[in-house]
Amino acid sequence: MTKLINLIRDEEGATAIEYGLIAALIAAGIVGATMALGGQVVSTFEYIEDEMAKAIAGDEGGV
């Protein structure tokens, strides 16, 4: 009977589950932010690439 009571009072498993849920929520947030901002980041790098290509070619485009 004592072992059963100790097993019910043991909270180490619950703590591990809580940490797992927190990690899963953080991962979901990172994935969501990456998907939401991914297109903007790609567009920014493409713009930078185009401007650098113009600068190398000597066509500064009014800059």
Side-chain angles (χ1 to χ4, degrees):
M1 189 68 175
T2 305
K3 288 184 179 185
L4 180 62
I5 291 172
N6 288 337
L7 182 63
I8 292 172
R9 289 184 182 168
D10 186 15
E11 294 183 3
E12 289 181 21
T15 303
I17 291 171
E18 290 169 356
Y19 284 131
L21 289 172
I22 291 170
L25 288 173
I26 291 171
I30 291 171
V31 168
T34 302
M35 295 198 59
L37 298 175
Q40 291 176 337
V41 172
V42 169
S43 296
T44 301
F45 279 111
E46 287 175 349
Y47 171 77
I48 292 169
E49 179 184 12
D50 292 342
E51 293 300 314
M52 290 179 70
K54 288 179 189 176
I56 291 171
D59 179 23
E60 296 179 6
V63 175

